[in-house]
Amino acid sequence: MSFRSAISDKSEFDNLFPRWNKLEPNVQKILHSQASFHSAKKGTILQSDENHCIGLVLVNSGQLRVYMMSDEGKEITLYRLFSGDMCLLSASCILSSIQFEVIVETEKNSNFWIIPSTTYKTLMAQSLPLCTYTNELMSARFSDVMWVMQQVLFKSMDERLSEFLLDETNREDNEILKITHEQIAHHLGTAREVITRLLKYLQDENAISLSRGIITIKDRSLLEERVHTPLTE
Amino acid sequence: MSFRSAISDKSEFDNLFPRWNKLEPNVQKILHSQASFHSAKKGTILQSDENHCIGLVLVNSGQLRVYMMSDEGKEITLYRLFSGDMCLLSASCILSSIQFEVIVETEKNSNFWIIPSTTYKTLMAQSLPLCTYTNELMSARFSDVMWVMQQVLFKSMDERLSEFLLDETNREDNEILKITHEQIAHHLGTAREVITRLLKYLQDENAISLSRGIITIKDRSLLEERVHTPLTE
């Protein structure tokens, strides 16, 4: 694997593991002894079709992106994970019913723990608090994916692009986004040409300005308006 | 609600409830006393945005369809439920993280039990076997929805239509399908005109023949071929 081990403070693990205080002491002990700490540079693929079910990833710092990819290389972002988030789908083998593959990539330099899938599976079969937490975690991810699906199915691309630009500026707390047209196309599951055309339209409208690899938001209200009244069906 | 109560044999309930024998006796007892039996004619909406979280539906006989709908009335089928299947999303309120609405409709005359959401939620917090089962159920549905999403995102419509026709003939065990172009469009989340055009193409190819409200499969191998080599991207 292309990420390296690192030394971590286990008390950080306790603080970041959701509902740690509700777990039984023996479950806590096993999680402590089995979790390993790692770090990976931005752009590292933690999980792919070839390297699947690496274990449960608990993010310490940084940002992970979970996405699907078609045989032709078309991508769509399902959700992102931040400090304290757990990636259930990187341990999809713990649940026999999960039969799809996702790709997990670091979007920023990241530190994270990995809990082996077999360990987690064994503990989940013994611990009601862990089972309950896993249930909630899965329904939250299910909800995220359903949201993406509704966007894809029922919203026009200019609406989705405007929403994406607003979300990104909120997340980065910066009106200047360093992102290529191709990267946006991957996030939204479309072709680069479609994004380029729509961005040019938004520039002509004075909502944004474009320069090499950079998009600057000039008028948020125009983007917000676009979300409510899309150009096309 | 537009479905009526009926009398059922509780031993049927035991046989159909998945993993019944693994549940604790007190959990079995509560489920017995709380589940109510109902029947509904084909085409009944059991759950919608207005009438949501009716409880956990356990299908005795018939067929249910779970789908999403846009504000403009565009539909897409997520999955179907048959005898012995449980509809978790009809009790989505038991999981606070589930924040999307689906519609549940009877596709055939159906009999089913309803377990109140509050009952199920209480039992799930006490019973590890029930929590574990719910976990597996949710991951199976999650997998179903991801499959639909991959189809929508990454497959061309003629490929999806050919696959749909093959699936329907397998399910109904009949090469003659009574279904309108509009119904197919709803299943696949597209416009009726798109389906009509593609069906005519498949008729011209001698894969199917069309008459009012009826599609007859003439050559399965041509449809199977279409699944592997779609017309367009």
Side-chain angles (χ1 to χ4, degrees):
Chain A
M1 283 185 276
S2 53
F3 47 87
R4 60 186 179 78
S5 295
I7 293 162
S8 81
D9 178 358
K10 281 286 160 81
S11 71
E12 272 189 86
F13 182 81
D14 301 3
N15 289 332
L16 281 174
F17 195 103
R19 318 279 173 79
W20 181 257
N21 294 330
K22 295 210 172 178
L23 298 178
E24 300 88 341
N26 68 317
V27 173
Q28 292 182 345
K29 201 175 157 191
I30 296 169
L31 284 171
H32 257 180
S33 69
Q34 297 291 317
S36 56
F37 194 67
H38 305 267
S39 74
K41 291 237 175 282
K42 176 180 170 177
T44 307
I45 305 283
L46 301 186
Q47 164 161 315
S48 65
D49 284 1
E50 293 83 46
N51 173 24
H52 92 134
C53 211
I54 55 162
L56 242 94
V57 176
L58 172 61
V59 182
N60 176 31
S61 65
Q63 184 173 317
L64 307 187
R65 180 169 78 103
V66 178
Y67 63 100
M68 282 198 305
M69 189 158 68
S70 74
D71 294 342
E72 293 80 29
K74 197 173 161 189
E75 291 180 12
I76 190 153
T77 301
L78 299 174
Y79 51 83
R80 288 191 171 91
L81 300 165
F82 305 94
S83 176
D85 283 339
M86 261 168 72
C87 186
L88 193 61
L89 295 183
S90 61
S92 55
C93 50
I94 64 169
L95 292 155
S96 54
S97 326
I98 292 268
Q99 287 169 344
F100 54 90
E101 297 288 347
V102 296
I103 301 166
V104 183
E105 184 183 14
T106 52
E107 241 181 352
K108 296 185 176 173
N109 294 342
S110 302
N111 292 317
F112 49 90
W113 288 274
I114 293 182
I115 302 159
S117 304
T118 47
T119 304
Y120 198 84
K121 192 175 182 174
T122 307
L123 293 177
M124 213 170 60
Q126 294 165 7
S127 164
L128 184 56
L130 195 64
C131 181
T132 303
Y133 169 66
T134 308
N135 229 316
E136 286 171 28
L137 184 61
M138 184 146 47
S139 61
R141 296 296 168 250
F142 195 174
S143 224
D144 289 341
V145 168
M146 290 294 281
W147 183 86
V148 173
M149 188 144 164
Q150 281 177 316
Q151 300 288 311
V152 170
L153 285 170
F154 300 144
K155 289 202 172 180
S156 65
M157 194 51 79
D158 66 310
E159 202 175 345
R160 291 175 59 208
L161 175 61
S162 301
E163 224 165 18
F164 176 82
L165 293 175
L166 290 168
D167 284 352
E168 285 295 299
T169 55
N170 289 339
R171 182 164 21 236
E172 301 289 341
D173 198 19
N174 195 335
E175 302 289 288
I176 298 168
L177 301 175
K178 283 185 193 167
I179 191 165
T180 67
H181 301 189
E182 182 134 30
Q183 284 171 321
I184 299 176
H186 281 169
H187 281 296
L188 300 177
T190 187
R192 188 191 52 75
E193 294 74 16
V194 173
I195 296 301
T196 298
R197 188 170 53 80
L198 284 170
L199 285 173
K200 287 211 173 112
Y201 178 91
L202 291 174
Q203 179 171 248
D204 291 345
E205 273 201 322
N206 273 320
I208 60 171
S209 72
L210 300 171
S211 58
R212 201 164 188 83
I214 288 172
I215 299 168
T216 309
I217 310 300
K218 289 174 70 181
D219 190 338
R220 293 182 67 84
S221 66
L222 284 172
L223 290 180
E224 279 154 9
E225 197 179 300
R226 185 62 59 226
V227 174
H228 300 295
T229 46
L231 288 171
T232 51
E233 186 39 45
Chain B
M1 283 184 276
S2 54
F3 48 88
R4 60 185 178 77
S5 295
I7 293 162
S8 80
D9 179 356
K10 281 287 159 81
S11 71
E12 275 187 85
F13 181 80
D14 301 2
N15 289 331
L16 282 174
F17 195 102
R19 320 277 173 83
W20 182 257
N21 294 329
K22 295 210 172 177
L23 298 178
E24 301 87 342
N26 68 318
V27 172
Q28 292 181 344
K29 199 174 158 191
I30 296 169
L31 285 171
H32 257 180
S33 69
Q34 297 291 317
S36 57
F37 194 67
H38 306 267
S39 73
K41 291 235 177 282
K42 177 182 167 175
T44 307
I45 304 284
L46 300 186
Q47 164 162 314
S48 65
D49 284 1
E50 293 82 46
N51 173 27
H52 92 135
C53 211
I54 56 164
L56 240 95
V57 176
L58 171 62
V59 182
N60 177 31
S61 65
Q63 185 173 316
L64 307 186
R65 181 169 78 101
V66 178
Y67 62 100
M68 280 199 306
M69 190 156 70
S70 74
D71 294 342
E72 294 80 28
K74 195 173 162 190
E75 291 180 11
I76 189 152
T77 301
L78 298 176
Y79 51 84
R80 289 188 169 94
L81 300 165
F82 306 94
S83 177
D85 283 340
M86 261 168 73
C87 186
L88 193 62
L89 296 182
S90 62
S92 55
C93 51
I94 63 170
L95 293 155
S96 54
S97 326
I98 292 269
Q99 286 171 345
F100 53 91
E101 296 288 346
V102 296
I103 301 167
V104 183
E105 184 183 16
T106 52
E107 240 180 354
K108 297 185 174 172
N109 294 344
S110 302
N111 292 317
F112 50 90
W113 288 274
I114 293 181
I115 303 159
S117 305
T118 47
T119 304
Y120 198 84
K121 191 176 182 172
T122 308
L123 292 178
M124 212 169 62
Q126 294 164 8
S127 163
L128 183 57
L130 196 63
C131 181
T132 303
Y133 169 67
T134 308
N135 231 316
E136 287 172 26
L137 185 60
M138 184 146 47
S139 59
R141 297 292 168 255
F142 196 174
S143 224
D144 289 342
V145 168
M146 290 293 281
W147 183 87
V148 173
M149 189 144 162
Q150 281 177 317
Q151 300 289 311
V152 169
L153 285 171
F154 301 142
K155 289 201 172 182
S156 66
M157 194 51 79
D158 66 311
E159 199 176 347
R160 292 176 58 208
L161 175 60
S162 301
E163 223 165 19
F164 176 81
L165 294 175
L166 289 168
D167 284 352
E168 285 295 298
T169 55
N170 289 340
R171 182 163 24 235
E172 300 289 341
D173 198 19
N174 195 336
E175 302 289 287
I176 298 168
L177 301 175
K178 284 185 191 165
I179 192 164
T180 66
H181 300 191
E182 182 135 30
Q183 284 170 322
I184 298 177
H186 281 169
H187 281 296
L188 300 179
T190 186
R192 188 190 52 74
E193 294 74 15
V194 173
I195 296 301
T196 299
R197 186 169 55 79
L198 284 170
L199 285 172
K200 288 212 173 107
Y201 178 88
L202 292 174
Q203 179 171 247
D204 292 345
E205 273 201 322
N206 273 320
I208 62 170
S209 73
L210 301 169
S211 58
R212 201 164 188 81
I214 288 173
I215 299 168
T216 309
I217 310 301
K218 289 174 71 183
D219 190 339
R220 293 181 68 84
S221 66
L222 284 172
L223 290 180
E224 281 155 7
E225 197 179 301
R226 186 59 60 227
V227 174
H228 301 295
T229 46
L231 287 171
T232 50
E233 186 37 44

